[in-house]
Amino acid sequence: MEALGIRESDLKEQFVKASGKGGQNVNKVATAVVLLHIPTGKQVKCSIYRSQGLNRYKARDLLCLELEKEQRPETFRQKLDAIRKQKAKQKKRSVEKYKQASIENGETED
């Protein structure tokens, strides 16, 4: 947040009830977080986790990503490309590992 020049005083935070999976906890407790960056008007809602604390952290993270995409598109694209490259490498490694395990177990591909 410091690198992008975002201050806590620039944020307006609201807690609302989430929806979806989570059972009674989701229905009764306001765990979702709505974060508004006042200078830019960007708004982010996060209800990924069942706890309010984790959602607060993730909402700030998502807001930083949105603002970085807007302010520094070239840096954002580089980060995105690095993540894609890493995931492709992980997938390739996983496929190779699966093939090796099936060969060792004597299984044949159909």
Side-chain angles (χ1 to χ4, degrees):
M1 286 177 54
E2 287 180 18
L4 294 171
I6 303 171
R7 296 186 309 263
E8 280 293 323
S9 60
D10 292 343
L11 303 177
K12 182 180 177 189
E13 188 174 45
Q14 288 181 305
F15 303 105
V16 295
K17 290 183 182 178
S19 62
K21 298 178 183 177
Q24 286 182 338
N25 183 52
V26 168
N27 298 330
K28 294 186 338 188
V29 183
T31 56
V33 178
V34 178
L35 205 57
L36 173 68
H37 187 243
I38 297 168
T40 60
K42 288 277 186 186
Q43 185 174 0
V44 174
K45 180 180 179 184
C46 181
S47 61
I48 298 170
Y49 303 106
R50 289 177 59 185
S51 71
Q52 193 180 73
L54 288 174
N55 282 331
R56 289 181 74 196
Y57 175 79
K58 190 63 176 178
R60 282 167 172 72
D61 186 40
L62 293 172
L63 181 68
C64 287
L65 284 174
E66 285 292 320
L67 292 175
E68 185 175 17
K69 182 170 40 171
E70 189 176 280
Q71 291 176 1
R72 305 175 188 162
E74 67 284 341
T75 307
F76 182 77
R77 182 165 299 283
Q78 289 173 354
K79 284 184 181 180
L80 205 58
D81 289 342
I83 291 170
R84 285 184 181 141
K85 185 177 179 181
Q86 182 182 15
K87 286 189 181 269
K89 188 176 180 181
Q90 288 173 347
K91 184 176 180 179
K92 182 179 177 183
R93 216 180 292 146
S94 175
V95 167
E96 290 297 323
K97 187 177 178 181
Y98 178 74
K99 283 182 183 177
Q100 185 65 31
S102 65
I103 290 171
E104 289 175 0
N105 291 334
E107 298 172 3
T108 60
E109 292 184 17
D110 292 333

